[in-house]
Amino acid sequence: MSDYLSAVVPRRLRLRASVQIAGMRLPARSFLMIVGVMALGGIAISLGADIERTIWISGGAIFVGLALLEGRIWGRSSHDAARIVWRHLNRPKQIRANQPQVVLLPEASALPALMPQRPRWQRQESSDE
């Protein structure tokens, strides 16, 4: 085949695998992840796990999974976003925000407040003409 007859598909036009449900297209990897987590939750409940706790854990796993698979943070990939979050959670907690202790002396608080002056270029000069 000649180079004149073929063309590279632009990046914006590349299609990802998707599943169509009720006339709506869903990304295939997100759909499969959600179905898998729900299936694991159903199996856990049928084996005797606590229903409420399993629902909360499954929902959290689905939320985190969707955020990592489909979320884009500042144009970064999901792998980069997960690495940023992991580094943030594992960093040493060295910075502590301490409230500065400010003590006003009694005589300083009793002084009248100074009126702010206009800048020199805004003041009206008295003309001696």
Side-chain angles (χ1 to χ4, degrees), residues 14-83:
R14 291 183 188 158
L15 299 175
R16 291 185 176 180
S18 61
V19 178
Q20 186 168 358
I21 299 175
M24 185 172 67
R25 289 211 167 271
L26 302 171
R29 63 183 185 171
S30 298
F31 175 76
L32 292 174
M33 189 241 353
I34 290 171
V35 169
V37 170
M38 288 174 63
L40 288 175
I43 291 170
I45 289 172
S46 67
L47 292 176
D50 182 33
I51 294 174
E52 187 176 347
R53 185 170 183 227
T54 305
I55 290 172
W56 278 103
I57 290 173
S58 299
I62 288 171
F63 179 75
V64 169
L66 283 176
L68 291 178
L69 284 178
E70 298 303 323
R72 296 284 183 254
I73 301 174
W74 298 302
R76 298 179 190 264
S77 69
S78 56
H79 183 267
D80 290 342
R83 205 170 62 223

Side-chain angles (χ1 to χ4, degrees), residues 2-25:
S2 167
D3 287 337
Y4 294 110
L5 299 177
S6 64
V8 178
V9 178
R11 288 180 65 182
R12 286 187 240 158
L13 295 179
R14 291 183 188 158
L15 299 175
R16 291 185 176 180
S18 61
V19 178
Q20 186 168 358
I21 299 175
M24 185 172 67
R25 289 211 167 271

